[in-house]
């Protein structure tokens, strides 16, 4: 099984790959979003001509009354939510914000109602 760094690197590679029409789709927050319900990283997903993210909470079978609903978030809505979570009323450059999140190893935890910022955990070293 690969590491978390491998997963993020693959998500970034996948985020800019061309589709069947040869167009390249960019997902700014690929690998930076985690679902609050199940703690899994959210998948990049193209919906209605724009980038979005989803989490199916590990359920790929039929829906049941006990399985939570799939979480879908459009990237343009996420940009505003992330700006509020970072106390930035206007996000002038979403790509710059995404780059800063990556550089600082910050995750965004998503719910249907909002997002929160998850700072990296310090590495504990044995004395």
């Amino acid at each position: 099984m690969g590491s978390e760094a491998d997963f993020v690197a693959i998500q970034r590679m996948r985020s800019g790959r061309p589709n069947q029409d040869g167009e390249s789709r960019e997902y700014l927050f690929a690998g930076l979003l985690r679902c609050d319900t199940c703690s899994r990283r959210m998948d990049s997903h193209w919906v209605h001509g724009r980038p979005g993210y989803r989490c199916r909470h590990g359920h790929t079978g039929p829906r049941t009354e006990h399985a939570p609903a799939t979480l879908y978030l459009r990237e343009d809505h996420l940009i505003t939510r992330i700006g509020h979570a970072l106390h930035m009323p206007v996000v002038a450059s979403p790509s710059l914000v995404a780059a800063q999140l990556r550089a600082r190893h910050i995750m965004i935890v998503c719910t249907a109602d909002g997002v929160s910022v998850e700072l990296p955990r310090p590495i504990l070293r044995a004395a």
Side-chain angles (χ1 to χ4, degrees), residues 49-111:
R50 63 185 123 207
Y53 304 88
R54 68 180 177 188
C55 183
R56 294 181 279 181
H57 314 298
H59 298 282
T60 55
R63 289 270 308 132
T64 68
E65 63 185 72
H66 303 293
T70 299
L71 177 61
Y72 288 102
L73 298 170
R74 286 177 26 186
E75 189 173 87
D76 57 342
H77 293 176
L78 269 172
I79 291 165
T80 302
R81 289 179 178 190
I82 290 169
H84 288 293
L86 296 172
H87 305 290
M88 300 169 63
V90 177
V91 179
S93 174
S95 58
L96 180 60
V97 171
Q100 289 296 315
L101 293 172
R102 275 194 184 77
R104 295 181 177 151
H105 304 285
I106 296 173
M107 290 291 295
I108 300 298
V109 180
C110 302
T111 67

Side-chain angles (χ1 to χ4, degrees), residues 6-127:
D6 293 339
F7 178 84
V8 172
I10 290 169
Q11 284 289 348
R12 287 301 296 161
M13 286 188 314
R14 291 186 64 208
S15 70
R17 71 179 180 179
N19 64 11
Q20 300 119 332
D21 300 329
E23 297 175 12
S24 184
R25 296 177 176 165
E26 182 179 11
Y27 300 91
L28 294 176
F29 301 107
L32 295 173
L33 307 174
R34 186 173 62 77
C35 173
D36 189 52
T37 301
C38 69
S39 298
R40 294 173 188 246
R41 288 189 187 261
M42 295 182 67
D43 296 323
S44 302
H45 184 65
W46 197 259
V47 179
H48 301 294
R50 63 185 123 207
Y53 304 88
R54 68 180 177 188
C55 183
R56 294 181 279 181
H57 314 298
H59 298 282
T60 55
R63 289 270 308 132
T64 68
E65 63 185 72
H66 303 293
T70 299
L71 177 61
Y72 288 102
L73 298 170
R74 286 177 26 186
E75 189 173 87
D76 57 342
H77 293 176
L78 269 172
I79 291 165
T80 302
R81 289 179 178 190
I82 290 169
H84 288 293
L86 296 172
H87 305 290
M88 300 169 63
V90 177
V91 179
S93 174
S95 58
L96 180 60
V97 171
Q100 289 296 315
L101 293 172
R102 275 194 184 77
R104 295 181 177 151
H105 304 285
I106 296 173
M107 290 291 295
I108 300 298
V109 180
C110 302
T111 67
D113 299 323
V115 300
S116 61
V117 176
E118 181 179 274
L119 299 173
R121 295 184 186 126
I123 298 173
L124 300 176
R125 298 178 194 254

